[in-house]
């Protein structure tokens, strides 16, 4: 009996990689139910108290940090998505001096190590006399998120057929009407993808935030500080809730897409 090594090796590698990726997530979820005290390193027993009283640890410090991360992420995402979308449209649709140089410079924040970027921003804020607070975090996050938005939306703009916009203008649509009714709806999937990516990057960032946050505590910063004495179970609760929420969004989107394709197939 001839055995194909590739036939078994690839599935085995896939299963091992999936297990490797899922172990930290499973650990986080399981230990969110741990009846821990000050430390959440060893298992002491099963309880729902951590989920029911998530904001009571350390006078609500974990929830305050989580709220700060949500607020910073939303504001930075809106600003970066708005500016990045306009830059992406300008780079694809218009010709101007230093266009190629501008496109190249937009990649620098993506290629620069975060520790260098964070230290450079901190030095700039210090030299300008700007106090480090939530506004400096939002500025820093907006700056590095713009590059990701431009790259994502730029690809979407480049794929659009200019004939669709020309048809709108031929039907006596103004520039505003053509953009609102044709261009923007076609760009919307790319814009939403860029916004979700920006929010994920902002919410997850620690290095740049740590350089420019001052006394403000975000969720990643809270996790880092708490890790020395054992991350409290309440932090595991919030992390598990975020993962479940993201999983629900992905599954819902996939189910809706499959249902839409099925309806279109029936109509066709």
């Amino acid at each position: 009996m001839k055995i194909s090594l590739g036939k078994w090796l690839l599935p085995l590698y896939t299963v091992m990689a999936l297990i490797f990726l899922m172990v930290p997530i499973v650990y986080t979820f399981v230990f969110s139910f741990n009846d821990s005290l000050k430390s959440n390193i060893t298992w002491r027993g099963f309880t729902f108290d951590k989920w029911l009283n998530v904001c009571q640890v350390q006078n609500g410090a974990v929830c305050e940090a989580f709220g700060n991360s949500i607020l910073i992420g939303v504001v930075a995402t809106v600003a970066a998505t708005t500016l990045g979308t306009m830059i992406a449209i300008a780079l694809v649709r218009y010709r101007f001096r230093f266009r190629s140089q501008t496109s190249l410079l937009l990649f620098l924040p993506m290629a620069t190590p975060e520790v260098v970027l964070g230290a450079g921003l901190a030095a700039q804020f210090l030299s300008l006399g700007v106090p480090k607070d939530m506004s400096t975090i939002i500025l820093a996050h907006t700056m590095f998120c713009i590059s990701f938005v431009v790259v994502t939306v730029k690809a979407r703009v480049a794929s659009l057929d200019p004939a669709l916009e020309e048809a709108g203008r031929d039907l006596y649509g103004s520039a505003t009407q053509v953009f609102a009714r044709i261009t923007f709806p076609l760009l919307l999937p790319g814009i939403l993808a860029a916004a979700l990516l920006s929010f994920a990057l902002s919410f997850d960032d620690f290095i740049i935030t740590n350089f420019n946050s001052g006394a403000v505590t975000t969720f990643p910063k809270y996790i880092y500080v708490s890790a020395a004495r054992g991350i409290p179970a309440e932090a595991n609760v919030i992390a598990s809730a975020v993962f479940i929420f993201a999983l629900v969004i992905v599954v819902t989107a996939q189910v809706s897409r499959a249902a839409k394709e099925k309806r279109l197939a029936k109509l066709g």
Side-chain angles (χ1 to χ4, degrees), residues 49-64:
D49 291 342
K50 307 301 180 181
W51 282 80
L52 299 176
N53 304 300
V54 64
C55 289
Q56 293 186 3
V57 62
Q58 298 178 0
N59 297 320
V62 63
C63 287
E64 181 183 356

Side-chain angles (χ1 to χ4, degrees), residues 243-255:
F243 175 76
I244 294 172
F245 180 70
L247 187 63
V248 169
I249 291 177
V250 172
V251 172
T252 302
Q254 292 296 326
V255 171

